[in-house]
Amino acid sequence: RGPLHRFDAAQFQPSDLREDGVLQAIHLAEGHELEPAMQQFWADRLHRDQSSRLPLQIRLFASSSEPLAPLIRQGLFDPRLGQALLRFEVKMPGLADRPEDLPDITRVMLEKIGSAVGRERITLSPAALKYLQGCRFSENLRQIEALLERAVGYTLGKVIRRQILHDLVIDMKKSVASIRDDQQRIERDRLLQTLRDCGGNISQTAEILNKSRSAIYRLIAKHDIPLNRGR
């Protein structure tokens, strides 16, 4: 009965919601990245909606690349929210497990892309499709669609050739690696500087960075930062 509004769980804040009944269906992408305070917010909100008889209640959907059940058992995810989300669980296979679906997927994507840029009936050559089926995409469909958009732009005729895809995949890998390295460096530098400013105090660091203590410990381990356990 209305649009599905998407939010990135890691950046979600209650102020993102409008309390006028407009946002009735919400998708939280990467729900396992919700901060503890936001997990509690949603657990309380769902409980409040279920306990009331108001006609306008939020319908919450979440997707996650990590299973929630182990996080709940480890105390890293609110059990009330976890149980609500897992009440109806659908496990989606990764594209790497379903390469036979790729011909239909790419055909639909190329029809959409071609129509948007005035390049109807553009297709992949058999060799290009076979090459694509042998690739592994960490972001699944989103990454493939971005690749095909660029391939259409680099193709003069109606058929996208294997070599164009190969060159674009190599370029994409280099770009992604460079961006990832920059993000990792910025994340490590900010964490290290905040730890220094707080004298190694984890609670203060977590508060400044707006993260949980467990999240800070995971980042410390991720970036191999020596930690003075006496602090």
Side-chain angles (χ1 to χ4, degrees), residues 39-55:
Q39 295 174 26
Q40 183 176 350
F41 166 82
W42 277 113
D44 292 343
R45 177 61 188 262
L46 293 179
H47 177 73
R48 189 184 75 192
D49 277 8
Q50 292 168 1
S51 301
S52 72
R53 295 188 177 182
L54 295 176

Side-chain angles (χ1 to χ4, degrees), residues 178-204:
S178 176
I179 292 172
R180 186 181 296 117
D181 288 344
D182 288 343
Q183 291 175 335
Q184 295 291 324
R185 186 176 65 255
I186 293 172
E187 183 181 68
R188 187 182 192 280
D189 289 348
R190 186 185 182 199
L191 173 62
L192 194 55
Q193 186 60 52
T194 307
L195 282 167
R196 287 171 177 165
D197 292 343
C198 296
N201 187 294
I202 300 298
S203 296
Q204 291 180 11

Side-chain angles (χ1 to χ4, degrees), residues 76-94:
L76 301 177
F77 200 88
D78 190 298
R80 296 179 302 155
L81 178 60
Q83 289 168 8
L85 293 176
L86 294 176
R87 188 175 302 162
F88 299 102
E89 181 182 12
V90 179
K91 294 184 178 180
M92 301 295 292

Side-chain angles (χ1 to χ4, degrees), residues 48-222:
R48 189 184 75 192
D49 277 8
Q50 292 168 1
S51 301
S52 72
R53 295 188 177 182
L54 295 176
L56 294 178
Q57 297 183 358
I58 283 182
R59 301 175 65 205
L60 182 64
F61 304 84
S63 56
S64 176
S65 57
E66 293 187 21
L68 293 185
L71 298 179
I72 295 172
R73 289 195 297 268
Q74 297 167 24
L76 301 177
F77 200 88
D78 190 298
R80 296 179 302 155
L81 178 60
Q83 289 168 8
L85 293 176
L86 294 176
R87 188 175 302 162
F88 299 102
E89 181 182 12
V90 179
K91 294 184 178 180
M92 301 295 292
L95 189 57
D97 301 324
R98 299 294 298 270
E100 67 274 12
D101 291 345
L102 204 55
D104 288 335
I105 290 172
T106 54
R107 176 179 55 78
V108 171
M109 284 184 173
L110 286 174
E111 288 176 357
K112 173 186 172 183
I113 296 168
S115 176
V117 299
R119 300 283 303 280
E120 287 81 3
R121 293 188 295 277
I122 192 165
T123 61
L124 291 172
S125 71
L129 179 58
K130 184 177 180 180
Y131 171 77
L132 207 57
Q133 288 177 308
C135 294
R136 293 293 179 266
F137 298 95
S138 59
E139 298 181 22
N140 284 321
L141 300 185
R142 186 184 306 177
Q143 201 167 5
I144 290 178
E145 186 170 24
L147 174 64
L148 292 179
E149 286 177 346
R150 295 189 65 191
V152 168
Y154 280 94
T155 298
L156 298 179
K158 293 288 187 181
V159 180
I160 299 174
R161 302 295 178 184
R162 178 191 183 281
Q163 189 60 46
I164 287 180
L165 286 185
H166 174 73
D167 292 344
L168 290 176
V169 167
I170 296 300
D171 183 59
M172 181 183 292
K173 288 180 178 178
K174 291 179 179 178
S175 299
V176 170
S178 176
I179 292 172
R180 186 181 296 117
D181 288 344
D182 288 343
Q183 291 175 335
Q184 295 291 324
R185 186 176 65 255
I186 293 172
E187 183 181 68
R188 187 182 192 280
D189 289 348
R190 186 185 182 199
L191 173 62
L192 194 55
Q193 186 60 52
T194 307
L195 282 167
R196 287 171 177 165
D197 292 343
C198 296
N201 187 294
I202 300 298
S203 296
Q204 291 180 11
T205 300
E207 183 176 355
I208 291 174
L209 296 181
N210 194 28
K211 294 183 179 294
S212 65
R213 283 172 53 87
S214 59
I216 295 298
Y217 279 116
R218 287 197 297 271
L219 287 174
I220 288 172
K222 172 184 174 182

